[in-house]
Amino acid sequence: AAGSTCSLLAELMPNEALEDPTVCALMLGVIAVDCRGFDPALLNIKYSIRDMQACTRLLSALGSATAFPEKVTPEILRDTPLPARAGVQGAKSMRELCDVLLEARYDVAARTPSELLRLDYKQATSEGGRVVGVAAVCISAPELLARANGPAGLEEALSLAAAERGVDVLFAMTAEDLDDAGQRKSLFAAAGTRAADSSAAAETLLGALSGIPDLPPHLATQALFVVQDIATQGFGLDWAALTPAAKLKGSTLRALATRKTLLPALLHFSDSQPS
């Protein structure tokens, strides 16, 4: 597995495609953010060796003066000087590039809940035909609810987005709540209108994710699932209805859990339901 889609692209692109410095610099910026500047503590959580190899390939293509060893480490990549054409706002390393880009990404003070649901969104269809979407929202649950003027406003934003995108269930994963004792994230869910039974399918799906989900071996043994202890601790979900009509459900989410494990689990449990 890789932490960044751009790492996979860098693996597949022929050498001649990497002769365009603009393309390489753009891809490098995405990898810096997705891999959090190669923070050593996040190896096999946010990124893998494949991301590090892709990064060295892009840096070399951009003219890096660093002679990378065969087995590169996060520490080497984190502070390797960036080629001038890869720097953004004076960033001189992958660590600084990540910080600069994340600061810009998280400047969402003027964003509405509907806009926040679009900024960092991934959608997938299960083999059984269910469509699920997960929006990563870079503010905490209390902030999101306040911005939506309460649960009813968030329900409206999620339901409208779910209908517009043609999903069976739409999830919003918030940032960690620093005022929470466990600094947990939160997960909100609302059913869409793609199919006549989308609401029933959503209820079944939420139930399957609760507690310790019964994961198949091919998921339970994946590196990220192991590092995040999903097979033994689950996602930490305990759903509650947040609005009178119970269209909006919410739960705290273990801080270590990420969309990279949540989305595959959603697809697996969606496959067990008829579409």
Side-chain angles (χ1 to χ4, degrees):
S4 176
T5 301
C6 280
S7 296
L8 302 180
L9 291 174
E11 287 181 0
L12 297 172
M13 292 170 68
N15 289 333
E16 54 268 26
L18 298 181
E19 293 176 0
D20 186 333
T22 301
V23 170
C24 291
L26 289 171
M27 292 173 64
L28 196 66
V30 174
I31 292 173
V33 169
D34 288 344
C35 302
R36 296 302 187 266
F38 294 103
D39 182 343
L42 297 178
L43 177 60
N44 294 325
I45 297 176
K46 281 286 189 181
Y47 64 92
S48 71
I49 185 66
R50 294 177 70 178
D51 298 287
M52 294 192 288
Q53 292 169 339
C55 182
T56 59
R57 189 179 186 208
L58 290 171
L59 285 169
S60 297
L62 285 166
S64 172
T66 301
F68 295 105
E70 183 177 348
K71 292 185 178 181
V72 70
T73 66
E75 291 80 4
I76 291 174
L77 283 182
R78 191 160 171 74
D79 293 311
T80 292
L82 288 177
R85 63 187 68 182
V88 175
Q89 294 185 7
K92 294 185 169 76
S93 66
M94 290 296 286
R95 180 206 305 255
E96 293 181 7
L97 182 61
C98 172
D99 291 343
V100 165
L101 294 176
L102 279 179
E103 183 178 357
R105 175 182 177 182
Y106 291 148
D107 183 9
V108 295
R111 299 289 184 177
T112 67
S114 295
E115 290 171 334
L116 290 171
L117 293 175
R118 291 196 295 266
L119 281 181
D120 187 358
Y121 176 72
K122 294 188 185 300
Q123 179 173 309
T125 303
S126 74
E127 291 181 4
R130 292 293 179 196
V131 185
V132 294
V134 183
V137 179
C138 56
I139 58 177
S140 69
E143 292 176 287
L144 179 60
L145 287 168
R147 199 169 297 191
N149 294 317
L154 182 57
E155 177 188 283
E156 181 180 3
L158 272 171
S159 297
L160 180 60
E164 290 176 343
R165 298 170 196 180
V167 299
D168 288 291
V169 197
L170 180 62
F171 295 85
M173 177 187 291
T174 72
E176 294 90 343
D177 182 358
L178 299 182
D179 292 328
D180 177 78
Q183 295 192 355
R184 292 171 295 182
K185 305 172 185 175
S186 287
L187 192 64
F188 297 101
T193 56
R194 187 193 71 87
D197 62 344
S198 288
S199 293
E203 289 294 326
T204 302
L205 184 55
L206 298 190
L209 289 171
S210 299
I212 310 296
D214 185 16
L215 296 172
H218 75 274
L219 288 182
T221 58
Q222 281 188 17
L224 278 179
F225 280 81
V226 172
V227 170
Q228 295 177 17
D229 293 322
I230 303 300
T232 56
Q233 296 189 39
F235 293 96
L237 296 170
D238 184 15
W239 298 101
L242 301 180
T243 53
K247 291 182 179 179
L248 177 68
K249 300 291 180 66
S251 171
T252 52
L253 175 73
R254 289 178 55 231
L256 197 58
T258 65
R259 185 169 55 187
K260 287 184 170 65
T261 49
L262 179 65
L263 191 51
L266 287 171
L267 293 177
H268 165 71
F269 290 116
S270 294
D271 278 344
S272 65
Q273 307 172 46
S275 61

